[in-house]
Amino acid sequence: MAQLKTPQPQRHPAPTTKAQQLGYLLFELPDLGKADQFLRDFGLRPVQRDNETLYMRGTESCAFCYRATQAETERFIGFGLIMESRADLEALSQLPGASAIEHLDYPGGGECVRLRDPSGFLVEAVYGQTKAAALPHREAMPLNYELKTPRINATQRPPITPPEILKLGHVVLEVAYFQASCEWYTRHFGFIPSDVQVLDDGSPAVVFMRLDLGDTPADHHTLAMAQGVMPVYSHSAYEVVDADAVGMGQRVLREQGWNHAWGIGRHILGSQIFDYWQDPHGFKLEHYCDGDVFTADSPMGIHEVSRKAMSQWGQKMPKSFTKPKITIALIKATLHNLRHSPDLTIRKLITLAKLFA
């Protein structure tokens, strides 16, 4: 039976605040035109675009869920978390390294406090953002089963269009300082570990963390972190209405010539039906539906980590999905963090390489 032998991950008994929603992601990209084209084919809707900035949204009422600014090289910057009150911003502004409360010039406006997590990712805590009008989307397709056949004298024909993105669901990061990063998010934003995958030595390899919404069910994970050798964006995930939308997304994106990364399949932890794609700048994005939801009282699960633990069925995860691109920056970061990170050892690095590289 798998056992966790480190202090983290664990929920914090009295967090500074409790984030309410993952609001948006922040990128720098050299080609906003290509990004715009891919994201529309992927299913996001345009909000605003000029020579310097691109904003995209889903059908839910968030003003936007994706922001990219023009830059010479591609880079993931961080993300925004929606807070419950201005008092949350006041509390966060007192943390070491936090900004003062500032007005946002993004669509929807509002105020924010900017912080850096222990891995260096930017976190914008936001309150007072004006919601946009929700956009219409099709209903889930009615499914016929042996004892329940709601679809009679009718065929199943989903529209051949990009799938309608409902919302930004989660973001997954790789971090070198795993313990410190877990503790920071649980302490200051109230994230609850839903499941953790551990290595043979009892140390964590991956943690899936959800929002603490009390008795209101929350997605199995809004933020997930994996043990890595340096801070890296892994992927982000966007919810669609049903499995037909996931499948139609694959058809449309293939026909448009975009790069497929992995899928279709069903995850084990979180249970989502998934399909992964790579954008023109090499960032991975996921379509998903039918994910698990939990209330705050559900305890954390502990599981052994393995490639087989990634999905229940579907395409086997290709090696290219997790194999890192060897660069000078990666080599330097690996050597530095092997010396300085309490979570990274040569033995663990070899184990992770065997599992995922």
Side-chain angles (χ1 to χ4, degrees):
M1 182 178 178
Q3 290 185 328
L4 177 66
K5 298 181 181 179
T6 58
Q8 294 292 332
Q10 65 173 340
R11 70 175 72 196
H12 195 277
T16 307
T17 66
K18 293 182 179 181
Q20 300 296 296
Q21 185 179 359
L22 175 61
Y24 50 82
L25 305 180
L26 301 166
F27 291 90
E28 291 179 346
L29 303 175
D31 194 330
L32 295 183
K34 283 187 177 179
D36 188 0
Q37 183 182 355
F38 170 82
L39 293 169
R40 288 173 188 251
D41 289 341
F42 188 76
L44 287 170
R45 312 286 185 90
V47 174
Q48 179 180 314
R49 180 186 167 191
D50 54 34
N51 292 333
E52 299 297 325
T53 314
L54 170 68
Y55 292 92
M56 307 291 286
R57 63 170 291 184
T59 63
E60 68 167 13
S61 59
C62 276
F64 70 99
C65 68
Y66 184 104
R67 179 182 190 261
T69 53
Q70 183 72 42
E72 292 186 2
T73 59
E74 62 272 4
R75 183 167 73 101
F76 173 73
I77 300 171
F79 52 91
L81 292 173
I82 308 301
M83 310 308 297
E84 188 173 22
S85 69
R86 196 174 194 274
D88 288 336
L89 300 191
E90 293 170 352
L92 292 169
S93 70
Q94 302 304 308
L95 298 179
S99 75
I101 298 176
E102 303 172 357
H103 289 281
L104 281 173
D105 61 358
Y106 304 160
E111 296 179 304
C112 86
V113 171
R114 293 184 170 94
L115 308 99
R116 293 278 175 182
D117 74 7
S119 296
F121 293 112
L122 176 66
V123 178
E124 296 184 340
V126 179
Y127 174 71
Q129 186 184 65
T130 301
K131 291 182 177 294
L135 301 176
H137 62 82
R138 72 166 176 83
E139 296 295 321
M141 306 289 283
L143 302 179
N144 282 346
Y145 301 100
E146 181 181 7
L147 300 178
K148 186 178 180 181
T149 55
R151 197 179 71 255
I152 300 172
N153 297 331
T155 59
Q156 197 78 299
R157 300 292 185 270
I160 306 174
T161 60
E164 297 161 311
I165 300 297
L166 306 181
K167 70 173 185 179
L168 167 64
H170 62 258
V171 62
V172 181
L173 308 172
E174 294 181 24
V175 298
Y177 291 83
F178 192 97
Q179 296 285 305
S181 296
C182 283
E183 198 273 342
W184 192 83
Y185 283 102
T186 58
R187 173 185 290 271
H188 297 309
F189 291 98
F191 278 91
I192 297 173
S194 297
D195 285 294
V196 59
Q197 293 176 304
V198 300
L199 299 168
D200 290 342
D201 64 359
S203 65
V206 183
V207 62
F208 300 89
M209 298 194 291
R210 68 186 184 275
L211 299 170
D212 183 353
L213 303 181
D215 293 333
T216 300
D219 290 344
H220 172 267
H221 57 283
T222 292
L223 173 65
M225 288 185 289
Q227 178 69 65
V229 298
M230 64 184 291
V232 176
Y233 163 95
S234 171
H235 72 268
S236 51
Y238 303 79
E239 186 173 13
V240 296
V241 69
D242 58 18
D244 279 283
V246 176
M248 192 56 69
Q250 183 170 113
R251 172 177 172 171
V252 170
L253 289 164
R254 284 191 184 279
E255 289 177 351
Q256 295 300 317
W258 300 113
N259 294 322
H260 188 235
W262 178 31
I264 296 172
R266 186 186 281 275
H267 283 308
I268 295 178
L269 301 180
S271 302
Q272 303 94 334
I273 294 177
F274 66 83
D275 194 33
Y276 292 88
W277 289 83
Q278 189 167 289
D279 77 3
H281 298 94
F283 294 115
K284 291 194 288 291
L285 293 83
E286 173 190 5
H287 285 141
Y288 79 91
C289 70
D290 193 28
D292 295 333
V293 294
F294 294 92
T295 56
D297 57 358
S298 182
M300 180 177 72
I302 303 175
H303 318 268
E304 294 181 359
V305 65
S306 71
R307 292 183 71 87
K308 292 182 179 179
M310 297 297 290
S311 65
Q312 301 180 48
W313 53 259
Q315 179 194 20
K316 183 179 179 181
M317 184 173 70
K319 292 182 178 180
S320 59
F321 189 79
T322 52
K323 186 175 182 180
K325 182 180 180 181
I326 305 301
T327 64
I328 296 297
L330 177 64
I331 294 171
K332 288 182 177 179
T334 301
L335 294 175
H336 178 272
N337 289 324
L338 278 171
R339 291 194 300 269
H340 297 284
S341 170
D343 303 309
L344 196 60
T345 64
I346 292 178
R347 179 184 175 187
K348 184 178 291 186
L349 183 61
I350 292 171
T351 301
L352 291 169
K354 287 179 179 179
L355 283 170
F356 297 113

